[in-house]
Amino acid sequence: QVQLVESGGGLVQAGGSLRLSCAASGDTICISAMDWYRQAPGKERELVAAITSGGSIYYADSVKGRFTISRDNAKNTVYLQMDSLKPEDTAVYYCNAECAVMYWGQGTQGTVSS
C-alpha cells in the first residue's frame, strides 16, 4: 500500500504560480513513476505530467513550457511547479503513484481567476 498526501493548491490570478507537493509513504519501493492528473468541472481526468524512477519526464501539450515536474527521492515527494497559469488550468489536481496498481491522492483544488 502507498499513501499519497497532496498540498499546495489555492487561488491565484492568471499569470501567477502555484506549487503542488505530493508526499508518498508506505510501500514506496514499488513506485515506477509518479504523475499529476487534473480534472476540471464537467471534464474527464487528464494526465498533466509524469516522472519515472529513471528520471524520464512527460508533459501534456497544454502545459509544456509552463509546468515543471520534479521529485525528491530522499523525501519520496514529487512536485508540480505551475507558472503562467491560465483560467483553463482551474481543476482538482491529483497525484498518482504507479505500482502494480495505481494509487491516488485525495486531490487539491487549484483555481485561476481571470
Side-chain angles (χ1 to χ4, degrees):
Q1 292 274 345
V2 174
Q3 295 77 44
L4 302 172
V5 178
E6 300 135 338
S7 61
L11 172 64
V12 66
Q13 289 187 331
S17 298
L18 286 173
R19 187 180 191 230
L20 307 182
S21 299
C22 174
S25 61
D27 189 21
T28 59
I29 195 170
C30 78
I31 299 174
S32 60
M34 294 190 73
D35 317 315
W36 286 99
Y37 284 74
R38 68 185 179 187
Q39 188 165 19
K43 295 188 177 181
E44 294 187 353
R45 192 171 296 190
E46 64 173 349
L47 177 62
V48 174
I51 185 166
T52 70
S53 56
S56 296
I57 289 175
Y58 162 86
Y59 294 106
D61 287 343
S62 58
V63 306
K64 280 181 182 177
R66 301 187 299 121
F67 290 12
T68 303
I69 189 170
S70 62
R71 65 190 295 172
D72 183 332
N73 290 328
K75 296 181 178 180
N76 288 318
T77 299
V78 64
Y79 305 95
L80 186 67
Q81 177 68 39
M82 306 188 294
D83 299 317
S84 302
L85 284 162
K86 305 174 182 180
E88 51 263 43
D89 294 316
T90 295
V92 178
Y93 285 77
Y94 296 92
C95 177
N96 170 270
E98 298 183 30
C99 296
V101 298
M102 295 177 76
Y103 295 96
W104 293 92
Q106 79 283 2
T108 184
Q109 177 71 46
T111 302
V112 185
S113 63
S114 58

